[in-house]
Amino acid sequence: MSGQDGSSAKGTIHSVSIPQSFIQELLARADVVDIVGRFVQLKKGGANFMGLCPFHGEKSPSFSVSPAKQFYHCFGCGKNGNAISFLMDHAGMTFVESVKDLAQQYGLQVPEDDVSQQDRARAAQAREQQATLTSVLEKAAQGYIKSLRGSEKAINYFKSRGLSGEVAKTFGLGYAPEGWRGLASVFPDYNDSLLVESGLVITGEAGEENAQGEAKRYDRFRDRVMFPIRNVKGECIGFGGRVLNDEKPKYLNSPETPVFSKGRELYGLFEARTALREHGYALVTEGYMDVVALAQMGFANTVATLGTACTAEHVQKLFRFTDAVVFSFDGDSAGRRAARKALDAALPFASDVRSVKFLFLPAEHDPDSFIRAHGKDGFAEYVKKATPLSKFMLEAAADGCELDSAEGRARMASNARPLWGLLPDGALKRQLLAEIAEQVLIDIRDLMDLWQPANAKPGYNTGVKTSFKTGIKNSPFKKTTQSRMQTGSIQEEPPAYYPDDMGHYAMEPGPESSFETSSYFANPPIDAPGASSQPYYPNIDRSASAKRAPRRSTGRLMPASREDRVLRLLLTEPQAWDRLSSDEHALLTSLPTPHGPLFSWLESQLHEHGPQPWAALREGLREHQHEQHATAQIAQIPEGIEGDWTEVRSILDQLLKLRDQREMNELAARAATDPAALERYRELAARLMKIGSAK
């Protein structure tokens, strides 16, 4: 494998027919520090690990292994790559051998049979002729829709629940007919293994063969109304089926498959995407019918967990679409238990810019029945009265505690500690600390003395070093400047190289890389050096010096654009995406090429796989239109320098301001005759004034 991004592996991967998605998953699980550390003695050196290069003789360590990027690089001989390439280059393994070795270490099964090249080619051709799992599921969904049209009892059931044909069409509702092999009318080859792999068909146990000696096969879903489950891309990945009477189980879900995981997916999220932004929050329920019925009544921002407790992945996925979540539960004990699990899942994501609330309905109601009894407005008012996360957390900590006794207050303090510790650092966390201390009648400093280990520095979080006075934390997003500060001066950032249109690197920025053309708006940052302290409006004529492209001093290179600095941090620390608001997500994904498409791609990767190290993201980028730009940005990050979250936060604030200012300029021409434009103009002006006064 050669090249910093390991590009030569591309052809190798395809030649042995190991799916690219598996390589990506394998690299996401493998730890290159652990793999390299088995052959090279490594020592921590700043953000990375250092050691003597195993590929050439040296006396001082120049071999660096990055746990953040999951890459290694030798500054002496130039060798670099990921965990797979290290086993190939150092252990002498072939590509397939190194993949299988890594897969075995991490408990994965390589999707590649040990067969001859001819058999492999025939298998590849057969796979090409077969439908993928999602296309098989989509075909089944169309078959269920067709069956619904011919089933009077299924249609009557939906009508009895007040559903219209329009909402049934939106959600693709269907019906699985009676009989053991209803899907045989949809799939000519009922013995197709994909039907079992997709969870549509069940095979019997050994000894249950039919007269022809074939394994018993039958439909998983029979005589049930069907709710197709779609991922965020709109692909059908599974089903939920409900009986038409009181038989058990009332609901039946697809099993876990390569494309479906109950702990990660939310029913109705694909259909709710637009409504989430319109309503400003997501309403999380527990049933398919709740989602469909509430959408029918004007709450298309509703989603549901899939017969399982709310997980951290559910919450994380929701916060990629909205900054506010309302969990709806029944008011009985089961509903309270479910809410408690949702609280645990939501606490790590409850930052100061997000809202989490808990809605407890009367015991005799679920969301569907409540909205029919009280109407749309009545339900909306009830949602407004939902319990804030802070209040519910305190209630959960105090549950079962007699606060009029010292023992009860001590127990509450003990219960509150793990809950409070899950919160991210911020104003909310500190306010709750004060409220807990007040309720348990302990001074806030005494409470922290109880909660902090004896050898830990004073702070607000036992897992985060914090100054008790200022609360400045040693964040993983903080730039590693300690070593430079010890010398008495902080040096300038190392220069960045820019790829031109042909992918070559040059000291001068190319057309797509210049500050003026690569930025979302061709205007300087509001707080740029030398900029006016007055509010900046793009329609005001700027001076000639302000319009000039930034100059390069002799021997120095241009700094990276604002968008590239954000891109670098998010590619190396993709978990930071969840620290951004939905408005910032929309801003980044709407940027011009190459940045907008790359941010959109990164968002889709997070939805499908969660945060992954750069080594895994690099594999997923192959064949992407802007693959070269992304890899160039990673190559330009100096060793030992971590992403500067404070800088990125400032950049995003600048871009949001400039976006609002540009919209104001467009609205100004219409405001005199268009009341809606005038109202929007005033809204943006007030927002900019508020932001300005906060600084």
Side-chain angles (χ1 to χ4, degrees), residues 385-403:
K385 299 175 183 177
T387 303
L389 173 139
S390 57
K391 183 178 179 181
F392 184 54
M393 191 195 96
L394 293 174
E395 291 176 356
D399 186 33
C401 302
E402 297 179 359
L403 299 184

Side-chain angles (χ1 to χ4, degrees), residues 471-491:
I472 299 173
K473 69 178 182 177
N474 183 15
S475 166
F477 299 97
K478 185 177 179 182
K479 188 177 296 183
T480 308
T481 57
Q482 183 177 1
S483 60
R484 286 179 287 159
M485 292 176 70
Q486 290 173 346
T487 65
S489 63
I490 299 179
Q491 301 175 0

Side-chain angles (χ1 to χ4, degrees), residues 282 284 305 309-319 322-329 337-359 387-390 392-393 418-425 428-429 432 578:
V284 184
T305 53
C310 182
T311 67
E313 288 185 276
H314 287 146
V315 178
Q316 190 175 44
K317 182 169 286 191
L318 284 170
F319 278 131
T322 180
D323 295 325
V325 175
V326 178
F327 292 101
S328 175
F329 298 99
R337 287 194 298 272
R340 182 65 175 76
K341 292 179 180 179
L343 174 67
D344 291 340
L347 282 170
F349 305 98
S351 65
D352 295 344
V353 297
R354 291 171 176 164
S355 169
V356 179
K357 294 184 177 182
F358 295 82
L359 177 68
T387 303
L389 173 139
S390 57
F392 184 54
M393 191 195 96
L419 297 174
W420 181 85
L422 290 173
L423 285 165
D425 191 34
L428 174 63
K429 184 168 190 173
L432 279 171
D578 293 317

Side-chain angles (χ1 to χ4, degrees), residues 500-534:
D500 59 20
D501 291 336
M502 298 301 293
H504 303 123
Y505 291 96
M507 294 179 69
E508 293 286 359
E512 291 186 358
S513 305
S514 70
F515 185 90
E516 291 286 339
T517 58
S518 70
S519 296
Y520 188 26
F521 305 103
N523 302 314
I526 293 175
D527 57 354
S532 169
S533 60
Q534 299 297 318

Side-chain angles (χ1 to χ4, degrees), residues 486-606:
Q486 290 173 346
T487 65
S489 63
I490 299 179
Q491 301 175 0
E492 296 177 346
E493 284 291 322
Y497 288 85
Y498 291 84
D500 59 20
D501 291 336
M502 298 301 293
H504 303 123
Y505 291 96
M507 294 179 69
E508 293 286 359
E512 291 186 358
S513 305
S514 70
F515 185 90
E516 291 286 339
T517 58
S518 70
S519 296
Y520 188 26
F521 305 103
N523 302 314
I526 293 175
D527 57 354
S532 169
S533 60
Q534 299 297 318
Y536 177 82
Y537 296 95
N539 62 329
I540 297 177
D541 185 36
R542 291 177 285 160
S543 66
S545 61
K547 292 179 181 179
R548 287 200 301 265
R551 294 178 299 166
R552 176 178 64 86
S553 301
T554 304
R556 294 191 61 224
L557 304 174
M558 298 302 300
S561 71
R562 291 174 292 187
E563 297 81 357
D564 281 338
R565 295 201 292 275
V566 178
L567 181 64
R568 291 176 185 182
L569 181 137
L570 290 175
L571 286 177
T572 54
E573 301 178 35
Q575 66 273 17
W577 183 265
D578 293 317
R579 298 178 67 177
L580 307 182
S581 67
S582 58
D583 194 27
E584 289 165 338
H585 291 165
L587 170 72
L588 293 177
T589 55
S590 63
L591 290 173
T593 57
H595 301 97
L598 282 171
F599 285 123
S600 297
W601 172 84
L602 179 61
E603 183 178 38
S604 69
Q605 290 293 300
L606 287 163

Side-chain angles (χ1 to χ4, degrees), residues 31-250:
D31 183 0
V32 71
V33 176
D34 179 49
I35 301 302
V36 174
R38 298 175 188 177
F39 303 91
V40 180
Q41 186 175 356
L42 299 173
K43 292 185 178 180
K44 194 78 164 67
N48 298 333
F49 289 81
M50 301 295 296
L52 297 175
C53 180
F55 302 113
H56 81 287
E58 61 178 9
K59 296 182 179 179
S60 58
S62 62
F63 186 76
S64 173
V65 185
S66 170
K69 300 179 188 177
Q70 286 294 303
F71 259 59
Y72 62 86
H73 177 79
C74 178
F75 294 94
C77 67
K79 277 282 189 181
N80 53 72
N82 55 33
I84 295 175
S85 63
F86 183 83
L87 291 177
M88 293 173 65
D89 291 339
H90 185 265
M93 298 182 182
T94 65
F95 175 77
V96 175
E97 288 171 343
S98 60
V99 169
K100 289 185 176 180
D101 183 79
L102 274 180
Q104 184 178 12
Q105 293 180 45
Y106 291 93
L108 297 177
Q109 180 65 43
V110 179
E112 175 64 28
D113 296 328
D114 187 13
V115 295
S116 66
Q117 288 290 341
Q118 287 184 336
D119 289 342
R120 187 178 297 129
R122 281 196 294 268
Q125 184 178 5
R127 284 194 296 270
E128 291 176 1
Q129 294 172 347
Q130 291 175 338
T132 62
L133 287 180
T134 52
S135 64
V136 166
L137 290 161
E138 184 60 42
K139 188 174 182 179
Q142 294 303 316
Y144 292 142
I145 291 173
K146 184 177 179 180
S147 296
L148 174 63
R149 293 170 183 159
S151 173
E152 185 176 350
K153 67 175 181 178
I155 293 175
N156 289 337
Y157 172 81
F158 283 132
K159 285 184 176 180
S160 70
R161 302 298 297 266
L163 301 185
S164 66
E166 182 179 354
V167 76
K169 181 179 180 181
T170 299
F171 286 89
L173 305 184
Y175 171 66
E178 299 178 74
W180 292 98
R181 293 197 171 201
L183 287 175
S185 63
V186 179
F187 298 95
D189 182 9
Y190 191 74
N191 290 320
D192 190 340
S193 61
L194 288 174
L195 296 181
V196 176
E197 191 177 352
S198 63
L200 293 169
V201 168
I202 298 174
T203 56
E205 300 292 335
E208 296 182 352
E209 294 81 3
N210 59 21
Q212 288 74 36
E214 300 172 337
K216 184 179 180 181
R217 298 168 70 92
Y218 54 93
D219 292 358
R220 180 179 300 275
F221 301 100
R222 304 179 303 280
D223 194 22
R224 291 175 180 266
V225 288
M226 299 296 290
F227 301 83
I229 303 166
R230 296 168 176 149
N231 60 20
V232 292
K233 295 186 292 185
E235 300 169 334
C236 184
I237 56 175
F239 292 95
R242 190 197 189 283
V243 294
L244 300 176
N245 45 42
D246 295 328
E247 292 181 6
K248 301 295 182 183
K250 180 186 292 186

